[in-house]
Amino acid sequence: MRVTITPAAAAYAARELKRRPELDRTLTVEAFLVAGCCSPNLPPEVRLGPPPEGGFRAVTVPLAGPAVAAADGAATAPATDAQPDMATVEVYLDPLVEDFVRDWYGEADREQAERAVLCIDLVRYGDREELTVRPWPPRPGTAPAS
């Protein structure tokens, strides 16, 4: 699975993380637990800051330019030098998120699950802004920009 961030979400993350240096330029994508079991029907939570505990896998994602980071952390396109101090962000993925994606596609569509792009996007609720994963579950190929 690959990870990307839309331009709107990247601008929001860069602005908020610059304002809060104690978060060490990190985002966490964490799965929800519903009624004692995991549900792939609910998108994972995306929040500023590192994960609460170990087991999460870090992926370096460029905040500038149309780049997609592979799950091994290698970016497929370089970030620009416009904001060298905020050119990338570390995104910590909950292992349950990847399990959800594999389960969603099933063994027959394993290749699609591997090509899935987890896209971090920004949603606005009136004056409030929030990071989210959209679409959920992620689809193979290039994620749409917003």
Side-chain angles (χ1 to χ4, degrees), residues 39-135:
S39 172
N41 298 322
L42 295 174
E45 178 181 272
V46 181
R47 60 180 179 76
L48 300 168
E53 54 189 75
F56 286 68
R57 192 163 47 90
V59 178
T60 302
V61 179
L63 287 178
V68 174
D72 63 4
T76 59
T80 66
D81 293 330
Q83 290 182 300
D85 61 328
M86 287 301 295
T88 62
V89 66
E90 291 297 311
V91 177
Y92 287 89
L93 291 175
D94 187 333
L96 288 175
V97 172
E98 291 177 297
D99 289 347
F100 287 160
V101 172
R102 279 191 296 274
D103 290 347
W104 176 263
Y105 283 100
E107 196 59 41
D109 291 325
R110 184 175 178 197
E111 184 180 312
Q112 287 187 1
E114 291 172 0
R115 290 191 349 239
V117 177
L118 187 131
C119 183
I120 298 172
D121 201 359
L122 184 71
V123 291
R124 291 181 176 91
Y125 303 104
D127 293 338
R128 196 178 96 221
E129 295 177 309
E130 187 176 297
L131 295 172
T132 190
V133 171
R134 190 165 47 185

Side-chain angles (χ1 to χ4, degrees), residues 4 6 9 13 22 42 86:
T4 189
T6 65
E22 72 275 11
L42 295 174
M86 287 301 295

